[in-house]
Every structure is written in structure tokens, then in C-alpha cells.
């Protein structure tokens, strides 16, 4: 078996699988970007070649999301974790409270990071494999914004319905499920997502912000973290992640050719349903997420004993099914099924799960 055979299917949460045709295209881009005579890695961010790439990426993202003109797209560095503090820096003003929904690991991280920059109000908390329903959120009328996490990647919990808009801007960390399904963007003041799950390469963070929210950054916010200044500079206050933006452009073109967000949602539901069917067949595999909150992109489960988790991971790896360990904060098994993960990979995993249960159950 060659190394490539051993690593046949990856279910990693970050970075995720990229479609084979994207890998082929960006391999060629690394050698030469179109007629520029340069590698795509060498393009100056101030030059025309990169300006065209950035404009096309924005065009594709606007088209796939059907994004109204009143929203600005920022192509930033720093990951979603940097947004955890950038948000209150930009939107909390000098003293306004901010509403947060605590639904799992990543929203907890967002709350901890924001606490140093604003008066955080936790308006709802989830427990025992469930998410707090939007109708139960105690949304304040004086908050600067209301933040929630649409997919809790560590626990495998996902809001399948989007909250309603209110007078307080709604903000979502969509890092795990951005571009895996349609988004009613007009309900949101701002959404953000790292690219390494569904939009290509690590290093790029997308922020989509309503223009009414620009221009409120706290005094002394660094220019590279100031939404208004980045919007005015076309995301070029400092060097943007140029190559990751090109990969995002390739991914967006591919996504549109695959039928856009409706088709992506159908594919992701079908992929996850294959694994949940094996999990639900009996009591061998246990999914802690309540059925209505089960994620279609982060399928998390456990086996009857922790030793079996380890054996499962080892045998899966030997069968070319890689990076299935759960998030360190949660443990167990996690299959991340982002847009680049194929049906073939998921079928291979479902077959392996059935076979493992037959042999070890
Ligand atoms: C929902 C969510 N938010 C935030 C993050 C952190 O993203 P980054 O590592 O790009 O900062 C992750 C990473 O998995 C995530 O799943």
C-alpha cells in the first residue's frame, strides 16, 4: 500500500478535504498563474492579477449567497478565533452590552474572548446534547448585537433553522456550516467563517457585514482589525491571504457548478444521513446530540467503551479512513463532512462502521 492509498479518505475538521479538481487546478496555479509569468504564490497584492482574483472571488461569493449590495465582504486573516475579539472591538462601542448564546465549545470560546472587550450577557445555554431554541433566547433590546454559533463543531450540534431578525443585529459564527446550505442573509448584521472547512485553505477568514454596522470601532482598534477601514481599503489594509483567496475562488466556482447552496445542502444531508442510519440501527454507536440538532457536517458519536473508540480509530486508519478522532474537548469520534468530502468517502466510512460493529459489537 502506498502512502497515498493509506490516506485515502480524510474526515478532518481542519483543514478539510479539497475536491480533486481543485487540487489539480491550484497545483497548476502554483507553477504559473495564467499569463502572468509568475506563480500564484508570488503575485503582489497590489497588482492587477491579484485585484482580478479578489474581484472574481467577491463576485462568486455574492452570486452564490445572492448577497444584497448593502453587505460588504471582507477577506481577512486571523481565523474565526480572531473575530471573537474583533467583533466587540468593532460593534460594542465603548460600553454596550452584547448578547451571547452559549451552546457548546466554540460559543464558549467566543464568550471568553469577548468578555475582555464588552459586557457579555449570556442569554441562553444548551445542555445534554440540545441547543437552546431561539424562541427561548432572552434577547435584550439595548444590546449592541446578538451572537450565536450556527454549528457547534466539537459536539456535533447544528441549528437547522435560522433565528429571526430583531432590532438588535444578529451575528453568527458560521465557520463550520458556511456555504453548506442557503443562508437568509438579510436576517443578519454580520456572519463570519474561517475558510479551511468549506472554502479551501487555512489563512482566510470571511466577514460579511451590513454596511450600517461599519464605522463604530472602539478607539485604538488596529487598522487591520477595523471593519470600516478594511471595507474602505478593499480588504487590503495589510497583505491579504492572497493564495487562500485564490483557492476560495476555485472552490466558489466549483460550488456554483455543483448547483450552489441548495444542492450542497441536499448532498450534506444525504451524506450525514448515511452515518446516522448506521448509528441508529442499534445501541452500539451512541450519538449524544438529540436528533433534531444533529449536525449534517459534524457527525459525532461514541462506542460502548473508550477502549473501543481507540480500536475504532486505529482500524479506521488502517482502512484508509483518517482523522476521525473527536475534538479534544469532547473526545469520541467525529466525522467532518464538509463540501469537499465525497459520497464515496462517506459510504466507505458507513461500511466500515457496520463491519466494525459486526466484528466487535
Ligand atoms: C464553529 C467554530 N468557530 C470557530 C472555530 C475556530 O476557527 P479558527 O481555528 O479558524 O480560529 C472553529 C474551528 O473549528 C469552529 O468550528
Amino acid at each position: 500500500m502506498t502512502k497515498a492509498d493509506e490516506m485515502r479518505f480524510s474526515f478532518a475538521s481542519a483543514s478539510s478535504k479539497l475536491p480533486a479538481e481543485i487540487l489539480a487546478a491550484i497545483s497548476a496555479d502554483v507553477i504559473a498563474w495564467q499569463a502572468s509569468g509568475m506563480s500564484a504564490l508570488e503575485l503582489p497584492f497590489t497588482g492587477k492579477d491579484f485585484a482580478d482574483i479578489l474581484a472574481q472571488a467577491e463576485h462568486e461569493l455574492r452570486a452564490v449567497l445572492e448577497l444584497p449590495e448593502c453587505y460588504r465582504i471582507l477577506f481577512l486573516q486571523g481565523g474565526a478565533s480572531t473575530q471573537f475579539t474583533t467583533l466587540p472591538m468593532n460593534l460594542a462601542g465603548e460600553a454596550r452590552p452584547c448578547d451571547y448564546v452559549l451552546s457548546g465549545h466554540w460559543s464558549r470560546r467566543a464568550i471568553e474572548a469577548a468578555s475582555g472587550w464588552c459586557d457579555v450577557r449570556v442569554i441562553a445555554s444548551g445542555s445534554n446534547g440540545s441547543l437552546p431554541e431561539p424562541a427561548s433566547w432572552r434577547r435584550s433590546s439595548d444590546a449592541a448585537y446578538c451572537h450565536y454559533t450556527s454549528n457547534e463543531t466539537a459536539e456535533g450540534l447544528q441549528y437547522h433553522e435560522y433565528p429571526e431578525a430583531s432590532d438588535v443585529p444578529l451575528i453568527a459564527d458560521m465557520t463550520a456550516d458556511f456555504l453548506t446550505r442557503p443562508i437568509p442573509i438579510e436576517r443578519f448584521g454580520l456572519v463570519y467563517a474561517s475558510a479551511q472547512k468549506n472554502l479551501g485553505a487555512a489563512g482566510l477568514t470571511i466577514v460579511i457585514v451590513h454596511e450600517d454596522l461599519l464605522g463604530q470601532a472602539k478607539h485604538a482598534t488596529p487598522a487591520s482589525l477595523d471593519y470600516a477601514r478594511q471595507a474602505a481599503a478593499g480588504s487590503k489594509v495589510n497583505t491579504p491571504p492572497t493564495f487562500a483567496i485564490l483557492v476560495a475562488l476555485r472552490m466558489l466556482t466549483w460550488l456554483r457548478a455543483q448547483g450552489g447552496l441548495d444542492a450542497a445542502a441536499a448532498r450534506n444531508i444525504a451524506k450525514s444521513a448515511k452515518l446516522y442510519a448506521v448509528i441508529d440501527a442499534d445501541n452500539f454507536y451512541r450519538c449524544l446530540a438529540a436528533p433534531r440538532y444533529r449536525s449534517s457536517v459534524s457527525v459525532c458519536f461514541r462506542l460502548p467503551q473508550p477502549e473501543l473508540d481507540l480500536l475504532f480509530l486505529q482500524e479506521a486508519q488502517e482502512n484508509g479512513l483518517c482523522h476521525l478522532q473527536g475534538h479534544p474537548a469532547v473526545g469520541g469520534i467525529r466525522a467532518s463532512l464538509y463540501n469537499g468530502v465525497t459520497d464515496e468517502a462517506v459510504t466507505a466510512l458507513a461500511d466500515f462502521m457496520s463491519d466494525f460493529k459486526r466484528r466487535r459489537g
Side-chain angles (χ1 to χ4, degrees), residues 10-14 105-106 151-156 176 197 275 295 297-303 312-313 322-338 349:
S10 170
F11 297 90
S13 182
H105 175 80
W106 286 108
N151 186 91
E152 285 286 5
T153 322
E155 292 86 355
K197 298 184 191 296
L275 301 189
S295 171
V297 289
S298 321
V299 177
C300 297
F301 58 93
R302 290 169 187 278
L303 284 82
F312 179 96
L313 289 170
C322 308
H323 306 302
L324 282 160
Q325 61 276 21
H327 187 279
V330 172
I333 316 289
R334 173 176 61 181
S336 299
L337 308 181
Y338 299 125
L349 176 56

Side-chain angles (χ1 to χ4, degrees), residues 14 40 47 150 171 213 293 308 317 342:
S150 56
I171 294 189
L213 296 180
Y293 303 116
L308 277 180
Q317 175 83 24
T342 59

Side-chain angles (χ1 to χ4, degrees), residues 91-92 95-100 118-121 140 142-145 168:
L91 302 183
R96 292 182 66 192
C98 300
D99 286 354
Y100 276 79
C118 65
D119 169 15
V120 167
R121 284 183 187 158
S140 332
D142 60 341
Y145 60 81
V168 170

